[in-house]
Amino acid sequence: MQKVALVLFIAFELCYYLLIAQTGIVEHFSSNIFNIAFLPIGGIIGSILSFIIKISEKKKIIGFLTTQLIVSIFYPNLNSFLLLILGFSVGALAPLLINELKKASNIQLGFALAISYTLGTFLFTYDASKRTNIAILFTIITLISSFFLDMKKHKDLSKNSANFPLFVMVLWIFLDSCLFETLSRDIDISIWRNGFSLEIAIFHIIGVVCAFYFKMERVQKELFIITLFALSYLFFFLHEPLILSIIYPFVISFYNVVILQTIVKKDLKTLGIYMIFIGWIASGGGLFVALGNLILYVPLIFFISLIKILITQIQNKEIAYV
């Protein structure tokens, strides 16, 4: 029961973040950044509260989920105060959720991500202003699951998988957010609304599986991910929705697993700080680029990234020969 509860806890909170906090509120408020500003402000504060509040992790999880449930009842008619409170809960739950991943096996995490990506894909086209029942139901499932979580000591994951610098992970999320926020507003090539949901869901799952079982060195993974992002942007600019529906979901799933494998090793305080940059600043920067129609300037980042990766590879070879 504890294993099932952990899978549901991860899957449905991730779905809530995607369908309500990330897309639902932004769409409902017509992408008006001044109207939704209290959500990321609350998210940053919530990330800090996750490790400042000195009570058991289970009490924190239940408390913030209860808060999320109460606010969800009023969705989508949220004023600035309710957006701030929702930001508190979602922002605090993100590092707490990742902290719980220390107890999950690859299979459990894989199932949780597969469920969240599949549900998120097929429900993405649902009217953002009519997602109240989704917000309440997903929070109730997550809340009930939290009562069955195993609160035993976390595993020691310090030697598992490669470590990636924070700025690399911020870069990936920024690139993802720029393209995602632009695509979701593009009338001509919105892959979710143009009948490619099945392809997107399938390649999300394939991306998760490959991320767990592809054995690569750190630099190779960086190059692989940045190349896939470059191809995603290329096929977006070329208006090739079918190919984009294959490559883009794959890289989203792949890099998210890589990020989770890196940050899950951190303590709760570090997770909270990381989530400020990964969960709010990077994604907020991507939203700003999309709203400002600045995506044409993003490809410059790929050249800088490739130069950085090549320099790192050369330095590693020089060290190996010493």
Side-chain angles (χ1 to χ4, degrees):
M1 184 61 189
Q2 290 174 338
K3 293 180 180 179
V4 174
L6 183 57
V7 169
L8 294 177
F9 174 76
I10 297 166
F12 282 91
E13 183 58 23
L14 288 176
C15 272
Y16 184 96
Y17 179 80
L18 172 65
L19 294 171
I20 306 302
Q22 184 179 5
T23 61
I25 289 172
V26 174
E27 286 186 32
H28 177 71
F29 285 97
S30 303
S31 301
N32 188 318
I33 206 159
F34 294 102
N35 288 340
I36 62 176
F38 284 92
L39 180 67
I41 292 171
I44 292 171
I45 297 171
S47 296
I48 297 170
L49 290 176
S50 67
F51 61 84
I52 284 183
I53 298 175
K54 302 302 180 183
I55 57 175
S56 70
E57 289 175 20
K58 189 164 188 174
K59 288 180 179 178
K60 290 180 193 177
I61 290 170
I62 292 172
F64 285 118
L65 278 172
T66 302
T67 304
Q68 179 177 294
L69 179 60
I70 293 170
V71 176
S72 296
I73 295 171
F74 300 96
Y75 178 90
N77 302 310
L78 305 179
N79 55 30
S80 299
F81 175 73
L82 289 177
L83 283 173
L84 186 69
I85 298 301
L86 183 61
F88 286 163
S89 58
V90 173
L93 283 166
L96 290 167
L97 181 148
I98 295 169
N99 207 42
E100 291 302 303
L101 295 183
K102 295 174 183 177
K103 305 167 187 174
S105 65
N106 285 348
I107 293 176
Q108 287 174 290
L109 179 55
F111 269 116
L113 291 174
I115 291 169
S116 65
Y117 285 133
T118 303
L119 278 175
T121 298
F122 284 105
L123 292 175
F124 183 82
T125 56
Y126 200 81
D127 190 336
S129 298
K130 298 178 180 178
R131 295 180 188 175
T132 308
N133 291 336
I134 292 174
I136 294 171
L137 177 61
F138 284 11
T139 305
I140 288 174
I141 293 172
T142 310
L143 182 58
I144 292 172
S145 301
S146 70
F147 285 100
F148 297 95
L149 293 177
D150 182 3
M151 287 293 126
K152 293 178 183 177
K153 189 176 179 180
H154 298 148
K155 301 174 188 176
D156 180 10
L157 302 172
S158 58
K159 296 181 181 179
N160 292 352
S161 69
N163 284 304
F164 291 85
L166 177 59
F167 78 89
V168 170
M169 297 185 287
V170 167
L171 171 64
W172 293 340
I173 291 181
F174 173 75
L175 291 173
D176 182 10
S177 181
C178 287
L179 186 53
F180 177 82
E181 298 292 354
T182 302
L183 269 174
S184 63
R185 291 166 176 76
D186 196 300
I187 299 173
D188 299 322
I189 193 173
S190 178
I191 55 177
W192 296 276
R193 296 184 175 92
N194 289 344
F196 295 99
S197 294
L198 181 60
E199 290 86 350
I200 293 169
I202 290 171
F203 281 93
H204 265 311
I205 295 171
I206 292 173
V208 170
V209 174
C210 289
F212 282 119
Y213 295 104
F214 271 16
K215 302 301 179 184
M216 299 181 186
E217 296 296 326
R218 197 193 89 180
V219 175
Q220 292 174 327
K221 277 189 177 178
E222 282 188 41
L223 186 59
F224 183 61
I225 291 169
I226 205 70
T227 301
L228 290 177
F229 267 125
L231 289 172
S232 298
Y233 275 79
L234 174 64
F235 289 113
F236 165 72
F237 290 131
L238 293 176
H239 284 241
E240 293 289 346
L242 177 59
I243 303 175
L244 185 59
S245 300
I246 293 170
I247 296 175
Y248 184 43
F250 180 92
V251 70
I252 291 174
S253 300
F254 192 94
Y255 92 81
N256 271 311
V257 171
V258 172
I259 284 180
L260 289 174
Q261 288 176 327
T262 297
I263 65 177
V264 75
K265 306 168 192 176
K266 311 298 182 182
D267 58 70
L268 185 58
K269 181 178 180 180
T270 306
L271 283 173
I273 295 170
Y274 269 41
M275 291 312 299
I276 292 173
F277 292 95
I278 293 174
W280 300 104
I281 295 177
S283 58
L287 176 61
F288 178 80
V289 168
L291 295 179
N293 294 316
L294 302 172
I295 196 167
L296 286 172
Y297 298 98
V298 174
L300 179 63
I301 296 175
F302 294 112
F303 293 105
I304 298 171
S305 302
L306 286 172
I307 292 170
K308 181 263 173 191
I309 292 170
L310 290 172
I311 291 172
T312 302
Q313 199 164 21
I314 292 169
Q315 289 174 341
N316 289 342
K317 286 182 180 179
E318 288 176 350
I319 293 170
Y321 286 122
V322 173

